[in-house]
Amino acid sequence: MTNNDMAGKVSLATTDDIPDLVEIFWEAFSGPGEVVFPQTDGGKKWLQRSFENFMAQKSYYKPETKVAVIRNLNSLDNTIDHTCRPVALAIAHVVRPGQSIAGKAWKTRWTRCEDIPDISEEKLAEFFEPLARAHYLVVGKEGHVFIELVMTKSSNRGRGYASALMTWATKLADSLDVPCYLDAGIRGMGICDRCGFKAQDIEMRYGGPPPCTPMFRSKKQ
């Protein structure tokens, strides 16, 4: 199956999917990532609340967020069964011109944590805010689609799911006539290149290497 075929298998998540989205997220951030995103009852509560916030009605105070998923394929006819559980997800935010993406904007985009003892706001800030600084240096106050996360369950990798989700997100940006931004790790650079993203050299303005490689895709000409 080609990536174009797989792109047709992308659908938007629902609140019923949240338990599976938490599991996919936890697997992706297992190990060192558990310092920021602990796999505890409190950690689950924070993620559940975050996904509920992503899927909530539009708000002037935060970007519109879309959570896309790919589900297990029906083994008999290779079609999507919407009763099947998600195995890959993408979180994309439609950022309006002038909307804040820097500093503590992550608290509005994700969710509050002060009432959850297991979650450290300090650790979350240490994770999100350096990325936000790089993000702002590249995009500034321009409207864009921010692809914050793309992740696939380890047992389902190598099937083109991440590429399909990236294609979905870039088509969303093209439909809105805006550019796209994401923070890339080494493993995702190839997909980013194929989807038209270019690495941005901001090291001098950032004051050293940013935590991830800032990637920018210009709006469709």
Side-chain angles (χ1 to χ4, degrees), residues 9-182:
K9 307 302 182 185
V10 176
S11 60
L12 292 180
T14 70
T15 53
D16 290 339
D17 294 319
I18 289 176
D20 292 303
L21 303 182
V22 170
E23 291 300 322
I24 296 170
F25 188 101
W26 269 356
E27 184 187 49
F29 283 95
S30 62
E34 293 177 42
V35 174
V36 182
F37 306 109
Q39 298 189 15
T40 61
D41 288 343
K44 179 181 291 186
K45 180 179 180 180
W46 184 82
L47 281 174
Q48 289 172 333
R49 187 188 287 171
S50 292
F51 280 113
E52 289 168 358
N53 190 37
F54 293 152
M55 298 178 200
Q57 292 183 338
K58 295 180 185 179
S59 168
Y60 175 82
Y61 299 101
K62 67 183 182 71
E64 178 187 358
T65 301
K66 297 180 183 293
V67 181
V69 296
I70 293 179
R71 303 175 186 277
N72 278 321
L73 293 175
N74 186 308
S75 59
L76 296 178
D77 57 10
N78 213 33
T79 59
I80 281 289
D81 179 352
H82 284 272
T83 64
C84 289
R85 298 168 66 175
V87 294
L89 71 88
I91 301 172
H93 310 281
V94 180
V95 183
R96 296 187 299 274
Q99 201 162 41
S100 176
I101 53 172
K104 296 188 180 299
W106 62 269
K107 295 178 69 174
T108 303
R109 194 170 65 248
W110 288 72
T111 194
R112 67 189 191 280
C113 63
E114 63 274 7
D115 61 328
I116 305 176
D118 290 356
I119 296 293
S120 166
E121 182 173 338
E122 181 181 359
K123 295 295 184 186
L124 288 171
E126 289 172 357
F127 176 82
F128 285 114
E129 291 176 20
L131 294 170
R133 182 163 170 257
H135 185 171
Y136 185 79
L137 285 173
V138 173
V139 183
K141 296 183 178 181
E142 183 178 7
H144 62 287
V145 168
F146 171 30
I147 307 173
E148 186 156 22
L149 289 172
V150 177
M151 48 186 63
T152 303
K153 290 186 70 173
S154 58
S155 57
N156 290 272
R157 290 175 188 157
R159 302 181 186 182
Y161 293 176
S163 293
L165 289 164
M166 288 281 286
T167 298
W168 164 82
T170 54
K171 284 184 175 180
L172 171 64
D174 290 344
S175 73
L176 298 170
D177 193 30
V178 296
C180 232
Y181 175 89
L182 60 80

Side-chain angles (χ1 to χ4, degrees), residues 170-215:
T170 54
K171 284 184 175 180
L172 171 64
D174 290 344
S175 73
L176 298 170
D177 193 30
V178 296
C180 232
Y181 175 89
L182 60 80
D183 300 293
I186 294 175
R187 192 167 61 184
M189 294 295 289
I191 295 174
C192 292
D193 289 341
R194 291 192 294 274
C195 288
F197 286 85
K198 303 297 182 184
Q200 305 298 301
D201 184 3
I202 64 166
E203 188 167 332
M204 185 173 295
R205 289 185 293 152
Y206 192 85
C212 291
T213 301
M215 304 292 288

